Amino acid sequence: MTIDQFDFKGKKAFVRVDFNVPLDEHFNITDDTRIRAALPTLKKILADGGSVIIGSHLGRPKKVEDKFSLRHILAHVSKLLGVEVKFAPDCVGEEARTLAGNLKPGEALLLENLRFYAEEEGKPRGLAEDASDEEKAAAKKAIKESQKEFTKKLAALADVYVNDAFGTAHRAHASTALIAAYFDADHKLFGYLMGKEVDAVNKVMQDIRRPFTAIMGGSKVSSKIDIIENLLGKVDNLILTGAMTYTFAKAAGGNIGNSLCEDDKLDLAREIVAKAKANGVNLVLSTDSKIADAFSNDAKTDFAQNDNIPAGWIGMDIGPDSIRAYREVILGSKTILWNGPTGVFEMDNFSDGSRAVAEAIAEATAAGAFSLVGGGDSVACVNKFGYADKVSYVSTGGGALLEAIEGKKLPGIAAIEGE
């Protein structure tokens, strides 16, 4: 059942969204992208003559704290949605039940931060640092039991469950996965955003047009190893970039100066090179770098080969040879996945590589390739350089997207699809 097929007339819909937006010290929203992303789903339900009960988290509270209250975003949500959204100062209490029960068609209710309850995440809170294993086990068992009651109360607020929060789809939390068990197959569905995210991931990982190129950046090989392992069985070209490549350069016997390196992962780097060769994957590593004598935008800079960086100097971005090599591979691709910048793109003096990758992906997309950009830094890149609307899809999910690329079935997706 898709959201377009469902008629919400007269129905109360619990919609799990991701309104975890950044706030300044005065509680002003500094980026409302996530709120805007959920609007099509919310407006569809209201236009059908249904009512919406909006559930979200904000931050990572460990108790009830005003700075994490969703009350701070209420006015902006009302403005964007075009209706005066009511607010429940709780999410499962008596007032929340009353407000939800009294909702009329076309009305909306925003529940207070779901994570004010430990039951949302299902993790014990308040344990003493010296708690014994037995005490930890008892606390975990107790929270799992109370989580069932919490989830049941959330589900009782609505007639239908809509998950539109891909950013939390990798979490088996009460509102993102467990709640789905209280609705039959015809009354639990993806919102528009969630549907687009699932389609985009499937297109990149299953419905592949070749050549398929994945660009993986980041500082550590260890943090991307599961993704790399999975991609080596799928891609034609794997571009590894960012600071992780200095581990590969050192593993091959090069001098990398003061560049970031995981000395305990040199064997792993050599294994990845061997596995890529065995799988017939074209592994593209950066060969040169823009280097600096300090980790600063104002540092003295130069260029060097990755295996010959002088002592005291740091690799901060890819160099011109690598830009040309990456560009050639990207422009020859029909499916492109980008996760992770080529360097310290936040500093303007070291943003050329990431800009060049974004530009090449945009060109390939214009020529007919399908491109998926995901992960906080990559999304920040395409936004900073003005290419967000020139790629096929920009994912809102950081950890969720990475786990999907690793080949994991996300709890928030499995709960709807019944797998």
Side-chain angles (χ1 to χ4, degrees), residues 322-395:
S322 300
I323 288 176
R324 281 191 290 270
Y326 289 5
R327 180 177 171 80
E328 182 179 352
V329 171
I330 292 167
L331 292 180
S333 305
K334 292 298 181 186
T335 302
I336 303 164
L337 170 66
W338 184 24
N339 174 263
T342 67
V344 191
F345 77 98
E346 299 92 343
M347 298 181 188
D348 289 343
N349 281 338
F350 308 105
S351 63
D352 289 349
S354 297
R355 184 193 301 273
V357 166
E359 184 180 79
I361 293 173
E363 285 185 40
T365 305
F370 178 83
S371 53
L372 170 60
V373 177
D377 285 341
S378 298
V379 173
C381 278
V382 292
N383 285 330
K384 177 176 180 175
F385 305 133
Y387 289 106
D389 60 348
K390 294 179 175 62
V391 299
S392 302
Y393 195 75
V394 178
S395 176

Side-chain angles (χ1 to χ4, degrees), residues 290-293 296-303 313 349-350:
K290 186 172 186 179
I291 61 176
D293 63 354
S296 166
N297 190 55
D298 301 321
K300 182 179 178 182
T301 64
D302 202 347
F303 292 94
W313 288 71
N349 281 338
F350 308 105

Side-chain angles (χ1 to χ4, degrees), residues 50-360:
S51 53
V52 292
I53 300 158
I54 305 168
S56 181
H57 72 281
L58 179 63
R60 297 182 177 182
K62 296 305 177 189
K63 59 181 180 180
V64 177
E65 293 183 74
D66 180 68
K67 68 178 180 178
F68 293 124
S69 174
L70 286 170
R71 186 187 298 277
H72 300 305
I73 71 169
L74 180 65
H76 195 64
V77 174
S78 296
K79 178 183 175 183
L80 294 180
L81 195 54
V83 300
E84 186 177 347
V85 179
K86 303 175 190 296
F87 183 74
D90 192 3
C91 55
V92 292
E94 184 176 342
E95 191 168 354
R97 291 196 297 272
T98 299
L99 285 166
N102 291 336
L103 277 182
K104 296 179 175 60
E107 292 185 340
L109 170 68
L110 176 64
L111 302 178
E112 183 55 287
N113 195 335
L114 295 162
R115 289 189 183 175
F116 280 172
Y117 280 84
E119 285 80 1
E120 164 64 3
E121 297 178 274
K123 297 177 182 177
R125 293 178 184 170
L127 272 174
E129 289 186 15
D130 59 350
S132 66
D133 289 343
E134 291 79 8
E135 288 171 326
K136 290 177 183 177
K140 188 172 183 179
K141 183 179 179 181
I143 194 69
K144 290 300 181 185
E145 282 302 314
S146 59
Q147 186 181 44
K148 293 176 184 177
E149 188 61 28
F150 174 81
T151 308
K152 186 177 180 180
K153 287 179 179 178
L154 273 183
L157 298 175
D159 306 305
V160 58
Y161 170 63
V162 182
N163 191 341
D164 211 24
F166 181 72
T168 57
H170 58 313
R171 307 294 189 195
H173 291 171
S175 69
T176 61
L178 306 184
I179 190 174
Y182 292 88
F183 298 88
D184 63 38
D186 293 329
H187 290 81
K188 53 185 175 185
L189 51 148
F190 296 135
Y192 286 120
L193 176 63
M194 188 77 151
K196 286 180 183 177
E197 295 275 5
V198 172
D199 288 345
V201 170
N202 286 341
K203 194 159 186 174
V204 164
M205 302 307 292
Q206 295 173 21
D207 183 21
I208 302 168
R209 290 172 57 224
R210 297 191 180 279
F212 176 17
T213 296
I215 306 149
M216 289 286 124
S219 59
K220 296 181 178 180
V221 188
S222 56
S223 66
K224 297 287 176 78
I225 183 58
D226 290 336
I227 302 169
I228 292 170
E229 292 275 357
N230 191 44
L231 288 173
L232 283 174
K234 296 180 180 293
V235 301
D236 301 291
N237 306 297
L238 178 59
I239 296 174
L240 294 184
T241 191
M244 74 164 82
T245 53
Y246 300 113
T247 299
F248 285 84
K250 187 169 183 177
N255 297 312
I256 61 170
N258 283 17
S259 304
L260 192 64
C261 177
E262 290 181 282
D263 288 323
D264 60 337
K265 295 293 184 288
L266 300 181
D267 286 341
L268 176 60
R270 287 186 278 264
E271 288 170 14
I272 290 171
V273 172
K275 187 168 184 178
K277 186 175 182 179
N279 286 19
V281 172
N282 176 31
L283 180 62
V284 185
L285 295 163
S286 64
T287 56
D288 63 333
S289 294
K290 186 172 186 179
I291 61 176
D293 63 354
F295 191 82
S296 166
N297 190 55
D298 301 321
K300 182 179 178 182
T301 64
D302 202 347
F303 292 94
Q305 294 298 300
N306 283 0
D307 59 0
N308 193 28
I309 297 174
W313 288 71
I314 311 165
M316 299 284 279
D317 193 16
I318 58 173
D321 294 344
S322 300
I323 288 176
R324 281 191 290 270
Y326 289 5
R327 180 177 171 80
E328 182 179 352
V329 171
I330 292 167
L331 292 180
S333 305
K334 292 298 181 186
T335 302
I336 303 164
L337 170 66
W338 184 24
N339 174 263
T342 67
V344 191
F345 77 98
E346 299 92 343
M347 298 181 188
D348 289 343
N349 281 338
F350 308 105
S351 63
D352 289 349
S354 297
R355 184 193 301 273
V357 166
E359 184 180 79

